[in-house]
Amino acid sequence: MINADLIARLTAMRDEMTEILAALTRDDAAARIDAAQNAVPETHIGG
Amino acid sequence: MNLLTRIIPLILVAALTGCAAPPVPPAVYIEQPVTTADVDTVVGEYEGQAAALATIHGRLSDACRAGRIPAPACTRLDILYQETRAAFVAKGDAYKAYLSDPTPANERRYRFQAADFANLYAQLRELAAAHGVEVPND
């Protein structure tokens, strides 16, 4: 039988992993957005 | 009363009601909320737009340098391109802000910047195409 303490610890671990995954997703998205912005030339047309 | 006289009215009623075309839903566009689940889709679309903008920039520059597009039109295209690029950057920055702090205010700001960019981007594509420049898909 699984005790309440183990369930609480597993739940906390799950929440922590979810937060880490969300942070990684944000960081990855920000890096990709930065790269996309840098890929669009700033120079003038024909310049 | 024979069987046909009973069935025919039923067929007529069915034809007039049950077989009628289903009602057409109203053409209302409902925006889907932005969630972290669609981050990859949003960023992927953004990357596609970046590649398309860079290609349009290159093709317009080539055409202007070669004199295939008159100088006044090149000036107009350059102004529109710079506005579009600025809106593109603002859209990306707004999305990053929303991801860091997903408040309704940040979501509204992102949607506003996305709409602003979409408007300018469509104008740029249209004007480039009008001058014979092939515009890529996103």
Side-chain angles (χ1 to χ4, degrees):
Chain A
M1 188 171 174
I2 301 173
N3 66 40
D5 181 52
L6 180 58
I7 291 173
R9 280 162 52 198
L10 287 171
T11 302
M13 283 173 67
R14 182 200 61 191
D15 293 345
E16 194 177 339
M17 294 299 284
T18 301
E19 282 183 28
I20 290 169
L21 186 62
L24 286 172
T25 302
R26 274 196 306 273
D27 291 349
D28 178 60
R32 286 171 64 190
I33 288 169
D34 289 342
Q37 289 171 335
N38 290 330
V40 181
E42 287 186 66
T43 54
H44 290 283
I45 297 289
Chain B
M1 190 181 292
N2 65 34
L3 194 60
L4 273 179
T5 57
R6 290 186 190 179
I7 290 174
I8 286 172
L10 291 175
I11 292 172
L12 285 172
V13 169
L16 291 171
T17 57
C19 298
V24 178
V28 176
Y29 175 68
I30 300 169
E31 279 189 323
Q32 297 299 309
V34 177
T35 66
T36 51
D38 59 18
V39 169
D40 194 53
T41 302
V42 171
V43 178
E45 182 185 275
Y46 192 71
E47 290 169 326
Q49 289 165 343
L53 273 175
T55 301
I56 290 170
H57 178 276
R59 289 177 182 171
L60 285 174
S61 290
D62 289 347
C64 285
R65 278 195 294 264
R68 292 195 301 272
I69 299 176
C74 287
T75 302
R76 171 74 189 115
L77 280 160
D78 184 48
I79 292 168
L80 185 55
Y81 172 79
Q82 298 300 338
E83 288 174 350
T84 306
R85 187 188 183 283
F88 178 77
V89 171
K91 174 187 169 182
D93 289 345
Y95 193 62
K96 282 193 292 186
Y98 170 68
L99 290 179
S100 296
D101 187 15
T103 61
N106 278 341
E107 184 178 345
R108 279 196 301 275
R109 180 173 157 246
Y110 164 65
R111 290 193 182 284
F112 174 80
Q113 299 292 357
D116 186 41
F117 166 72
N119 178 37
L120 290 164
Y121 185 48
Q123 287 182 49
L124 178 68
R125 292 174 65 90
E126 192 177 334
L127 193 58
H131 285 92
V133 172
E134 187 184 349
V135 289
N137 293 322
D138 293 343

